[in-house]
Amino acid sequence: MGTGTWQLTETRTKRIENWAIHASRGALLALLVVFVGAGLTGTMPSLELQMVIYLVGMVGLNLPHGGYEHFENLRRRGLPMGAKYVAMYVTFVAGFIALFFVAPLLALSLAFATAVAKGGHGDLRVMDALVGSDHLESEPQRALAAFVRGGAVMIVPLLFWPETFYGFASYMVSMFDAGAVGALHGRMELMTPLLGGVYGLALLAHLVWGYVASGGSTEWLADVGETSLLVGYFAAVPVVISIGLYFPLWYSMRQSGRTFVANRKEPDDGQGLPVPVVWGVLIVGALATGLVAATLWFVAPNPLGTQGLLPGLVAFYTIFVCIVALPHVVVGEWLDFKRGIWYVP
């Protein structure tokens, strides 16, 4: 390949990477503007339509990307690593399901914390690869940035859409123990102002710390813009839609851009598993994921909770995706010291 051809290929790849970032920003900004207008004019979509949008976004668009993240990671690794990976993944899934039976309120809290971790730490790695993170100079500062970004996904909707948030949290708990719903409401009403205060302080500290560390660099300005966009988006867009579209339109899209960076900087050296083998593993993984959903459906005392079909499906899928998301983050990234699903060379 000639120098000119290589440079052209690299330029096109960078355009794809940049497109992923700009598209994610544009998508959330457009939704923010639309729903601010809907709120001002009293034309919010019905809850039924919101739930349909959630299921389309999370099931149809986001779930396949989760499998692809593991595919991209494992196709460069050997079988011993892959076997350990799968064994740990299954162990975490089984343990998480068991926790919902033993302590559903604790399990639900862990599920929400998993969403915060996935959104925050995943986005932090995108910042490393594409947006810029030079203003984050220490591990505590990086952890704070991850909490602020991920906290926007769960804490901001809890503050601005409490009734809907409480409602669907109740549906999820009622899948396992309908009697625990009353205790859930009491705890959430107690924790909501506390979480709001902690998040507000964390947000302010993150922005000020970044400014002091960087002197107002372009990376810090980009961080301010994106963080403000996330907070505004989750405040203005109804929680069912905001979460349902955040993961496909922000998380998955930006992680796709990070993947292009990783592949461009470290092309496949041919030392990993053959692609057909990994595709086979991916298919088996998809079947196993379906088995997790089926198992959850049959073992949960009330798989649709105590409500109708549509809210029940939203609650069921949310629990299911949280159960597979925990090992996705812990095993796929935090315990994978060599590479991880959010690898940045």
Side-chain angles (χ1 to χ4, degrees):
M1 181 183 294
T3 301
T5 304
W6 179 84
Q7 289 177 340
L8 179 60
T9 301
E10 184 178 34
T11 299
R12 287 175 176 171
T13 303
K14 288 182 178 179
R15 287 177 181 171
I16 294 174
E17 297 162 4
N18 292 331
W19 178 88
I21 296 299
H22 294 316
S24 66
R25 293 169 175 169
L28 261 61
L29 181 60
L31 287 167
L32 170 60
V33 171
V34 167
F35 280 95
V36 166
L40 293 174
T41 58
T43 56
M44 284 289 186
S46 67
L47 184 58
E48 288 73 17
L49 179 56
Q50 294 178 34
M51 290 187 286
V52 171
I53 293 172
Y54 173 92
L55 291 171
V56 170
M58 292 292 284
V59 181
L61 300 177
N62 190 62
L63 184 62
H65 182 264
Y68 180 73
E69 284 187 313
H70 292 297
F71 170 81
E72 271 295 302
N73 187 20
L74 290 178
R75 73 186 180 89
R76 299 170 181 265
R77 325 291 284 277
L79 282 175
M81 169 60 195
K84 293 178 183 178
Y85 197 101
V86 172
M88 293 180 67
Y89 203 99
V90 171
T91 301
F92 270 84
V93 166
F96 203 1
I97 291 177
L99 184 62
F100 270 102
F101 282 92
V102 176
L105 298 186
L106 176 61
L108 186 64
S109 299
L110 183 58
F112 290 162
T114 300
V116 172
K118 183 177 180 180
H121 287 275
D123 219 19
L124 184 64
R125 302 299 281 157
V126 172
M127 292 171 67
D128 292 337
L130 286 166
V131 179
S133 57
D134 290 345
H135 61 296
L136 305 177
E137 297 182 336
S138 65
E139 286 304 316
Q141 192 180 6
R142 288 174 60 82
L144 180 63
F147 173 72
V148 168
R149 293 255 177 156
V153 181
M154 286 284 114
I155 299 176
V156 174
L158 174 61
L159 296 174
F160 284 85
W161 304 91
E163 291 186 7
T164 308
F165 202 106
Y166 291 178
F168 279 95
S170 300
Y171 304 160
M172 287 181 262
V173 169
S174 67
M175 289 173 54
F176 299 92
D177 184 1
V181 171
L184 171 70
H185 279 209
R187 292 186 185 182
M188 291 190 74
E189 289 178 358
L190 179 66
M191 291 299 297
T192 296
L194 177 61
L195 287 173
V198 169
Y199 185 76
L201 290 174
L203 175 62
L204 179 62
H206 166 60
L207 298 179
V208 172
W209 196 349
Y211 178 79
V212 171
S214 68
S217 66
T218 55
E219 289 85 359
W220 176 78
L221 287 172
D223 188 4
V224 171
E226 289 192 345
T227 301
S228 301
L229 175 59
L230 286 170
V231 172
Y233 168 77
F234 282 105
V237 180
V239 57
V240 179
I241 295 178
S242 64
I243 294 177
L245 294 183
Y246 161 82
F247 282 101
L249 297 182
W250 183 273
Y251 174 86
S252 295
M253 194 178 297
R254 291 162 72 87
Q255 291 300 335
S256 298
R258 179 205 50 78
T259 299
F260 274 103
V261 173
N263 290 338
R264 177 167 54 83
K265 291 185 176 180
E266 289 189 1
D268 194 345
D269 58 8
Q271 298 300 310
L273 296 173
V275 170
V277 173
V278 181
W279 271 113
V281 173
L282 184 63
I283 292 172
V284 172
L287 294 175
T289 301
L291 181 61
V292 171
T295 300
L296 182 63
W297 180 271
F298 286 107
V299 301
N302 307 296
L304 292 179
T306 57
Q307 302 301 312
L309 178 63
L310 197 53
L313 287 175
V314 170
F316 175 83
Y317 183 79
T318 302
I319 290 292
F320 158 71
V321 80
C322 287
I323 287 172
V324 297
L326 177 66
H328 190 81
V329 175
V330 177
V331 177
E333 174 65 23
W334 291 348
L335 297 181
D336 189 351
F337 302 110
K338 183 178 179 181
R339 186 175 177 88
I341 57 173
W342 300 324
Y343 177 69
V344 177

